[in-house]
Amino acid sequence: MVRRRMPRPSELAPLLRPAPLTLDRTAAKLARATSIGDLRVLARKRAPRAVFDYTDGAAEDEVSLRRAREVWASVEFAPTVLRDVSRVDTGRTILGHRSALPFALAPTGFTRMMHTEGERAVAAVAARAGIPYALSTMGSTTIEGVAEAGRGGRHWFQLYLWRDRSVAHELVSRAGAAGFDTLVLTVDTPVGGNRRRDTRNGLSIPPALSLRTFLDGARHPRWWFDLVTTDPLTFESLAAGGGTPFEVINRVFDPALTLDDVAWLRENWSGTLVIKGVQSVTDARRVVDAGADAVLLSNHGGRQLDRAPVPIELVEPVVQELGDDAEVLVDTGIMHGGDVVAAVALGARAALVGRAYLYGLMAGGEAGVQRAVEILRAEVERTMQLLGVTRVDDLRPEHARLRSPIGSATHSNGRRAAGASGR
Ligand SMILES: Cc1cc2nc3c(=O)[nH]c(=O)nc-3n(C[C@H](O)[C@H](O)[C@H](O)COP(=O)(O)O)c2cc1C
């Protein structure tokens, strides 16, 4: 039998702790977001449908992206216990410079379309967080604008290369002059991927007013207000013209590139050179032999070739092939700081995240990017503590393995998972 009594007012007082009142509804919502998935839900409400889909979507049936996310989810960590993890160092040297976290913010084109604060917001957050940010050739902010907004931070420049070298030459010189220390040459884009959501939504770059977008404006007035009351949304590094993303991309990409172009860039750039979009051991070796300092294993977040290799599954064999010849970076599908920890444990020098920060940007501009990075940072730190590891440099393959995703009996990693089961 439970005996009941009347509570005293002094006992009730500590239970009644109202949440601090904040008039900034966006700040309140961002503060309540506890995962990148939560930010994605907010982003979906804040951004017009076509903009959200452009960011969230991938090519064809979106299998590349789905598989990548499944494989991250299939990671099995192996914790060690009774280690003092009261202090954790999440720092990592990436391409010769110390980063406060083992990840960088990936290049994403036309970032001001997601939110008018765009690349400047991303650069500012990255600088404060002490992590690198790569500006895209298809960016909607100038190289110099990013250098200014992210003063004190580390910047990389993502390059698309054309047979006509003059534009690339000028961009590379400007990036160098603005203090960018690394070039990231993207090579998985001989032509544009078929992003069906964009076609379905009738997305054009820059967004145009049609009956559909006009009606959408009623549901996302803030976004449209920002669009028409701030600097016009344009590509700032190249004259790409307008049209559907597919048309723009095919005007920008050059299907005739070869390994000679990597060698040309190597001769014309004295900084660090990363090749982005490498998807096989053979190509990793080829680009490193042509002068690359690092390879970024990536399938462009699933936005180019569908049913492409899952980048994290390539890390182990590529690291084995390259040894100390080059650093290995990885991206595609990362939604959790634990994914970043797994990437490093499996041999990557660092990871890159794209959509994770763009969801934050769409959800709340700079404050949203800040929240995204904070969520990832906390997840990295907590995962390390729960693994019993105090330094990123101490993460080893013993700490994480890839399991075959449920329901994919033929998954290539099944063999590896079986092989690793004895540890
Ligand atoms: C909206 C969007 C735009 C992108 N634009 C570029 C780009 O201009 N250049 C590039 O090399 N990669 C671009 N990417 C690919 C990213 O750099 C990165 O490889 C990818 O986002 C990683 O996957 P994740 O988004 O799942 O993290 C873009 C990705 C997204 C989502």
Side-chain angles (χ1 to χ4, degrees):
M1 269 295 271
V2 175
R3 286 182 52 212
R4 303 202 182 270
R5 65 182 179 84
M6 278 301 285
R8 289 191 206 103
S10 63
E11 290 169 342
L12 287 179
L15 301 177
L16 302 172
R17 229 177 298 146
L21 186 68
T22 161
L23 295 177
D24 184 340
R25 286 182 54 214
T26 303
K29 284 183 181 163
L30 290 175
R32 277 203 299 275
T34 60
S35 66
I36 299 298
D38 285 351
L39 291 178
R40 179 176 178 274
V41 171
L42 282 179
R44 185 173 223 152
K45 290 186 191 141
R46 297 294 291 261
R49 169 79 184 260
V51 171
F52 177 82
D53 274 353
Y54 170 72
T55 309
D56 189 61
E60 311 283 358
D61 292 326
E62 307 195 354
V63 173
S64 288
L65 179 60
R66 215 164 32 246
R67 275 190 194 155
R69 287 191 175 153
E70 276 171 17
V71 173
W72 289 118
S74 85
V75 164
E76 182 178 290
F77 288 114
T80 56
V81 296
L82 297 173
R83 281 29 183 203
D84 176 358
V85 290
S86 44
R87 292 168 72 89
V88 168
D89 177 7
T90 57
R92 178 79 152 168
T93 299
I94 308 174
L95 305 172
H97 296 260
R98 199 70 184 161
S99 169
L101 292 161
F103 66 87
L105 304 185
T108 55
F110 227 50
T111 311
R112 281 190 58 229
M113 185 168 76
M114 288 65 167
H115 188 287
T116 190
E117 292 172 9
E119 287 92 350
R120 284 176 169 270
V122 185
V125 171
R128 280 200 299 275
I131 60 176
Y133 167 47
L135 171 67
S136 164
T137 296
M138 298 185 76
S140 44
T141 303
T142 59
I143 290 171
E144 294 76 14
V146 161
E148 183 197 86
R151 200 180 294 280
R154 183 179 185 200
H155 306 122
W156 301 348
F157 187 70
Q158 177 269 320
L159 189 69
Y160 288 120
L161 201 54
W162 307 268
R163 276 284 133 109
D164 171 7
R165 307 274 197 230
S166 55
V167 182
H169 215 287
E170 192 217 315
L171 286 176
V172 169
S173 315
R174 274 174 59 195
F180 287 45
D181 64 67
T182 297
L183 274 189
V184 179
L185 177 68
T186 300
V187 295
D188 56 5
T189 51
V191 296
N194 181 20
R195 315 207 184 132
R196 292 198 196 127
R197 292 201 218 180
D198 296 347
T199 313
R200 256 183 252 129
N201 291 328
L203 177 70
S204 66
I205 288 182
L209 266 183
S210 63
L211 179 62
R212 188 165 15 166
T213 50
F214 184 75
L215 293 175
D216 179 80
R219 279 186 292 133
H220 303 99
R222 181 61 205 253
W223 187 92
W224 284 97
F225 179 71
D226 282 344
L227 180 77
V228 295
T229 59
T230 58
D231 285 341
L233 198 47
T234 51
F235 292 107
E236 289 291 346
S237 291
L238 65 151
T244 66
F246 190 71
E247 286 163 354
V248 171
I249 281 168
N250 280 336
R251 233 175 285 136
V252 171
F253 297 162
D254 186 344
L257 291 186
T258 67
L259 215 51
D260 293 343
D261 299 283
V262 176
W264 174 84
L265 193 58
R266 179 69 289 173
E267 277 165 29
N268 286 274
W269 171 253
S270 57
T272 306
L273 179 60
V274 181
I275 308 298
K276 175 175 188 279
V278 172
Q279 296 175 70
S280 75
V281 175
T282 311
D283 278 347
R285 172 47 71 194
R286 285 170 75 223
V287 299
V288 169
D289 286 349
D293 300 301
V295 293
L296 170 46
L297 302 173
S298 166
N299 62 34
H300 215 104
R303 299 164 73 82
Q304 287 295 111
L305 178 67
D306 202 17
R307 294 179 281 169
V310 175
I312 183 60
E313 294 187 339
L314 288 168
V315 166
E316 186 200 316
V318 169
V319 167
Q320 229 169 55
E321 166 64 31
L322 298 182
D324 293 333
D325 295 348
E327 291 191 5
V328 175
L329 310 172
V330 66
D331 78 14
T332 299
I334 291 180
M335 291 285 280
H336 192 284
D339 302 345
V340 175
V341 171
V344 174
L346 291 165
R349 172 62 25 192
L352 275 78
V353 299
R355 293 180 184 84
Y357 78 79
L358 290 177
Y359 293 137
L361 183 67
M362 287 189 283
E366 182 171 331
V369 180
Q370 178 77 42
R371 185 75 189 121
V373 170
E374 175 50 35
I375 287 171
L376 292 171
R377 192 204 62 74
E379 288 168 347
V380 166
E381 186 177 277
R382 192 169 53 248
T383 304
M384 288 175 62
Q385 287 174 306
L386 292 172
L387 276 177
V389 175
T390 55
R391 292 171 356 119
V392 172
D393 291 345
D394 291 340
L395 287 165
R396 294 279 176 277
E398 300 82 84
H399 294 116
R401 71 174 174 119
L402 301 175
R403 291 164 59 97
S404 190
I406 297 158
S408 62
T410 56
H411 201 278
S412 65
N413 194 50
R415 295 192 301 272
R416 230 172 294 151
S421 62
R423 73 184 157 76

